[in-house]
Amino acid sequence: MKILMGSILNMDIDMNGVVITAKEQQSKLMGRNHHVQLLTPYIYPHQTILFTLLRWTSVAFTRTGLTIFTLLNLTVKALILARLTLRSQQNYDVFHAHDVVSAMVFEMLARGSNVTLLNAHFYVEPWEEFVAGGYVKRNDLTYHILKYLFLRTLKSSNLRFMPVSQRNSNLLAEMVSNQKLPSIVLYPGIDSTSNHNPTQIDTPYLINVGSMDVRKNQIELIGILAELERLGFCLPLVLVGPENALEKERINRRISALNIKTPIHFLGQKSPEETLLLIQSAQLYLHVSSIESFGRTLVEAMSTKTPVVAREYDAVHEILDEAAIIKSEWNTARAAAFIKTLLENKVLRENLQKSQHAKYLRSFTGTQMVNTYTNALEGSWRLS
């Protein structure tokens, strides 16, 4: 197959799950002898007028906060993706979008037998993600324009959906008024790692990975540490991921207010390789996010044979057994007691690790991902 992927993100700078998944899919599909090209606005020649407009609209929004510049920025990104697609010399079988803007472009340019699919990563409605990111204000003109354009794209009868979870498949169905969707869940395909190089941390520790923000809920970990200290159990916490100054200040205030003595290491953003090594060397991976489209860091931990415990959210039931889930109704004290029991009981922890790694091998490997992808396009979504 010849596959053209598109994303509005910068693959060289952004380090979120969408970027990692897109690169992962490109690599593994090419490993099966499929031709895969990944387009983003940021590979466009920098000396052109369009790229100058792309930078200008971004700077203008940063300086003014006016959401019209968000709309202009997305328009320029769409124009660049369209131009790059039209310039391509390949006759692609599949247009594969990693966001709704790219899907909109591909839908307009799709020809005859082309399959256009959307790999749906969003954790809420895509227009609401722009609100959550601070790029759009709810119910202003830009918000309504984006919502109209995005819904129009999502309701296209020619679009195929590959949501990253069953939870996202349900969200898509709600967005398009429960009409019948051509939808197949595509879980991430994460390769198992066995890197035994030592980390710079020479004592046992807990770890959490993710962008530092309210949704990722790292502040709850501070309360858990306080309860663990009260129970006489102190294990350092390592936080990995891009830092937000305001959220970090809020976390530090909570640390001071609770008089936490347990060491907390803020390591900031690390490369995927460094992150996996840090996860692999941890005693336990703790996930406390309040909402996720899927939760690929849990699977990354499972691939390294590090046991995982997560606060309950919709998609977590697709990844973990109930024995590893902190129930939503549990308070911080009960969550800490649950974690302490697991950390003190080596047999319990090893059994959890074995069952989770087995689940990873059954459902979340690169082979599973590629098979699901190709079976859909060569089977139920058969190419002409």
Side-chain angles (χ1 to χ4, degrees):
M1 284 187 295
K2 294 180 180 179
I3 303 165
L4 182 64
M5 289 189 181
S7 171
I8 61 172
L9 297 177
N10 189 331
M11 296 289 155
D12 296 323
I13 295 176
D14 298 313
M15 292 294 291
N16 60 26
V18 177
V19 169
I20 294 171
T21 297
K23 291 180 176 179
E24 175 184 85
Q25 290 172 351
Q26 182 186 33
S27 173
K28 290 174 172 56
L29 287 165
M30 290 179 70
R32 291 279 192 94
N33 297 318
H34 299 290
H35 175 86
V36 186
Q37 184 176 3
L38 179 55
L39 298 183
T40 80
Y42 299 94
I43 66 173
Y44 200 64
H46 290 195
Q47 68 273 19
T48 59
I49 293 175
L50 279 176
F51 197 83
T52 300
L53 284 172
L54 181 63
R55 289 183 300 188
W56 178 80
T57 53
S58 178
V59 171
F61 172 77
T62 301
R63 290 179 177 175
T64 68
L66 295 176
T67 60
I68 186 63
F69 291 116
T70 295
L71 185 60
L72 291 173
N73 183 265
L74 292 175
T75 301
V76 174
K77 286 180 175 179
L79 288 171
I80 292 175
L81 283 175
R83 191 160 189 176
L84 288 169
T85 303
L86 290 170
R87 284 183 175 182
S88 174
Q89 300 301 308
Q90 297 286 340
N91 293 317
Y92 289 99
D93 303 302
V94 181
F95 288 156
H96 177 148
H98 284 278
D99 52 74
V100 185
V101 175
S102 300
M104 191 186 312
V105 171
F106 287 161
E107 267 289 270
M108 288 189 294
L109 301 179
R111 298 178 295 274
S113 62
N114 291 124
V115 170
T116 303
L117 64 88
L118 172 61
N119 207 175
H121 303 267
F122 27 84
Y123 61 91
V124 289
E125 295 86 348
W127 51 91
E128 293 292 343
E129 284 193 337
F130 280 91
V131 174
Y135 301 107
V136 171
K137 295 177 183 177
R138 185 172 286 107
N139 291 324
D140 71 0
L141 180 60
T142 300
Y143 174 90
H144 287 293
I145 292 173
L146 287 183
K147 183 176 180 179
Y148 169 78
L149 292 173
F150 287 178
L151 275 175
R152 182 177 179 179
T153 300
L154 293 172
K155 291 182 178 181
S156 169
S157 60
N158 297 320
L159 197 62
R160 305 290 183 265
F161 294 101
M162 280 188 167
V164 297
S165 63
Q166 184 57 51
R167 176 262 185 200
N168 257 33
S169 181
N170 297 338
L171 177 63
L172 278 166
E174 292 173 7
M175 280 191 280
V176 298
S177 303
N178 290 305
Q179 69 185 55
K180 186 176 176 63
L181 292 176
S183 177
I184 293 175
V185 173
L186 185 69
Y187 290 128
I190 297 170
D191 285 332
S192 182
T193 58
S194 56
N195 189 336
H196 297 292
N197 294 327
T199 66
Q200 296 179 346
I201 305 171
D202 56 6
T203 58
Y205 59 89
L206 309 172
I207 191 168
N208 173 270
V209 177
S211 300
M212 186 176 292
D213 60 41
V214 173
R215 177 174 68 90
K216 294 294 185 178
N217 198 31
Q218 288 94 344
I219 199 165
E220 182 179 348
L221 294 170
I222 309 307
I224 289 174
L225 287 186
E227 289 296 328
L228 287 172
E229 282 187 4
R230 187 179 64 81
L231 295 170
F233 198 94
C234 298
L235 205 60
L237 172 66
V238 171
L239 297 175
V240 180
E243 295 182 357
N244 175 286
L246 290 176
E247 187 64 13
K248 186 174 182 179
E249 180 183 353
R250 193 167 78 102
I251 290 172
N252 279 322
R253 287 201 302 268
R254 180 67 61 86
I255 293 170
S256 297
L258 296 177
N259 195 27
I260 301 293
K261 298 294 190 297
T262 302
I264 300 172
H265 304 277
F266 294 90
L267 299 189
Q269 183 169 299
K270 296 290 183 180
S271 70
E273 295 77 18
E274 290 173 314
T275 300
L276 281 175
L277 179 57
L278 286 161
I279 292 173
Q280 181 181 339
S281 301
Q283 291 287 101
L284 190 68
Y285 181 87
L286 287 179
H287 196 79
V288 289
S289 179
S290 57
I291 184 171
E292 293 277 7
S293 58
F294 176 64
R296 66 168 288 132
T297 55
L298 280 70
V299 178
E300 288 172 346
M302 291 159 64
S303 77
T304 68
K305 299 185 178 181
T306 295
V308 178
V309 168
R311 171 67 76 178
E312 189 170 25
Y313 63 93
D314 288 348
V316 76
H317 299 282
E318 300 176 50
I319 307 171
L320 301 180
D321 294 333
E322 296 300 311
I325 297 173
I326 299 171
K327 305 302 181 185
S328 57
E329 65 269 18
W330 291 2
N331 61 20
T332 303
R334 187 169 180 184
F338 172 76
I339 292 167
K340 178 176 180 287
T341 299
L342 185 60
L343 289 169
E344 289 181 330
N345 190 324
K346 184 178 180 181
V347 173
L348 186 62
R349 194 167 65 250
E350 288 178 348
N351 288 339
L352 188 64
Q353 174 264 311
K354 289 176 183 177
S355 66
Q356 289 178 348
H357 190 69
K359 176 68 177 291
Y360 154 74
L361 292 174
R362 288 195 305 272
S363 305
F364 305 123
T365 64
T367 298
Q368 293 284 353
M369 184 274 292
V370 173
N371 287 344
T372 300
Y373 192 97
T374 55
N375 288 343
L377 292 169
E378 295 172 356
S380 57
W381 298 343
R382 189 176 303 279
L383 299 174
S384 301

